[in-house]
Amino acid sequence: MATIEEALEIERIERDIFRGASTKTQLPRTFGGQVAGQSLVAAVRTVDARYQVHSLHGYFLRPGNPKEPTVYLVDRIRDGRSFCTRRVTGVQNGEAIFTMSASFHVGDEGPEHQDEMPVVPAPQELPDARTSMSPERLWAMREWEHWDIRTVPQEQVGRRDGLAAQQQVWFKYRHELPNDPLFHVCTLAYMSDMTLLGSSKVIHPDEPTQNASLDHAMWFLRPFRADDWLLYDQQSPSAGLGRALTAGRIWNQQGELVAVVVQEGLIRNLRDPGESFPPGTA
């Protein structure tokens, strides 16, 4: 399957117009993380190198066709001394399938604080998914074979009182990535759409649903590497009316909070058995 370098590859075809590569996949619809990641790469290509992305907000508008490339149109909304803003629209066959705003910051000095990282088993204490995944989930291992993803068993989750649903996942890219910090940010944007909506299903494991990402927001708080272990501490505070709200905090192994993600997803009862498709598809 595609490496992350291939999944995030885009070609500049005009000053602010880019074409994202289509890659080999088993999914019937384009993986939402790939659309978000390619959109962010397109935005980054239009920003001066002194700016670093600190947030993005995106909406998945239509299912993408994974066999076709996506064209990304970038609007240069604002260029300021400290911040700049870009809006990106992903298009297939003349229709928008994704829209995103991204904000960039030069970085400043100010007060610092953060929550404490939850206490969970270290990733080395959990089995590699390649040897422990159930047969019905093997498609996921094939689709994301370049990622090491280790889910903390529910009985070992570092729980917080009053939360309806929690899930914790260690992950990292299996191969060494380039040193460019922005490449790691775009890689995390790709990865952040994976497993998050699943946190809404941990207390409804036997209910068949149609699942898809609807919107996605991220804040990048501190530097990190996507080829080092990261803990994705996920929760779903609410589900109802066919939608679920999910949120995730991402920590490095040193206990630094490096990113926060919030996503709403479709999680509705199946209208017919042929409707189901994997979560995280746009």
Side-chain angles (χ1 to χ4, degrees):
M1 307 305 290
T3 65
I4 192 62
E5 291 88 349
E6 293 167 336
L8 296 179
E9 182 181 354
I10 63 171
E11 171 193 6
R12 184 175 235 135
I13 56 179
E14 241 292 351
R15 179 174 181 259
D16 293 331
I17 303 175
F18 302 83
R19 181 166 48 222
S22 57
T23 56
K24 184 179 178 181
T25 180
Q26 306 168 99
L27 302 177
R29 295 168 175 81
T30 307
F31 174 53
Q34 182 174 19
V35 179
Q38 289 184 344
S39 293
L40 187 55
V41 173
V44 166
R45 296 278 177 89
T46 69
V47 173
D48 188 272
R50 66 193 179 96
Y51 293 93
Q52 298 291 311
V53 60
H54 71 91
S55 69
L56 64 84
H57 296 72
Y59 285 89
F60 299 98
L61 305 176
R62 293 180 176 88
N65 183 345
K67 297 181 181 179
E68 295 184 6
T70 304
V71 173
Y72 298 96
L73 312 176
V74 181
D75 292 328
R76 300 180 186 233
I77 303 300
R78 178 178 182 267
D79 286 288
R81 288 182 299 178
S82 297
F83 291 88
C84 62
T85 306
R86 297 293 184 263
R87 182 170 58 226
V88 185
T89 304
V91 177
Q92 283 189 347
N93 296 319
E95 293 186 321
I97 66 168
F98 181 72
T99 183
M100 181 190 78
S101 295
S103 181
F104 297 76
H105 184 214
V106 295
D108 289 305
E109 294 184 359
E112 293 189 15
H113 67 263
Q114 67 161 57
D115 288 348
E116 289 187 6
M117 180 178 174
V119 178
V120 299
Q124 296 83 0
E125 299 173 19
L126 302 173
D128 190 322
R130 289 183 295 192
T131 61
S132 63
M133 188 168 286
S134 61
E136 62 270 19
R137 298 290 293 172
L138 282 177
W139 68 267
M141 191 64 257
R142 291 192 295 268
E143 184 69 28
W144 291 289
E145 63 183 352
H146 299 290
W147 291 91
D148 195 341
I149 304 169
R150 306 189 184 195
T151 302
V152 177
Q154 277 293 301
E155 64 272 15
Q156 294 181 278
V157 165
R159 298 198 177 278
R160 300 188 297 281
D161 292 340
L163 299 188
Q166 287 184 257
Q167 177 173 265
Q168 290 163 340
V169 180
W170 285 103
F171 69 91
K172 72 181 181 74
Y173 197 67
R174 292 186 183 275
H175 318 295
E176 186 175 355
L177 294 173
N179 289 325
D180 179 7
L182 283 174
F183 188 84
H184 290 263
V185 167
C186 294
T187 298
L188 187 60
Y190 173 98
M191 176 60 195
S192 64
D193 192 42
M194 203 183 306
T195 74
L196 181 56
L197 191 53
S199 65
S200 67
K201 292 295 297 289
V202 294
I203 56 173
H204 311 284
D206 301 321
E207 296 186 37
T209 54
Q210 178 188 8
N211 310 319
S213 307
L214 296 176
D215 62 11
H216 199 79
M218 291 190 73
W219 293 264
F220 303 97
L221 307 176
R222 293 172 178 83
F224 61 89
R225 290 190 65 93
D227 50 6
D228 288 338
W229 284 112
L230 297 170
L231 177 66
Y232 206 166
D233 177 32
Q234 305 166 345
Q235 59 170 299
S236 178
S238 177
L241 302 176
R243 303 188 311 275
L245 183 66
T246 58
R249 301 184 298 173
I250 300 176
W251 314 77
N252 64 19
Q253 279 195 288
Q254 289 70 50
E256 296 173 322
L257 183 60
V258 301
V260 172
V261 188
V262 176
Q263 181 183 89
E264 188 176 42
L266 183 72
I267 175 175
R268 68 184 178 198
N269 295 334
L270 291 181
R271 294 171 180 172
D272 64 72
E275 271 193 328
S276 182
F277 52 88
T281 53

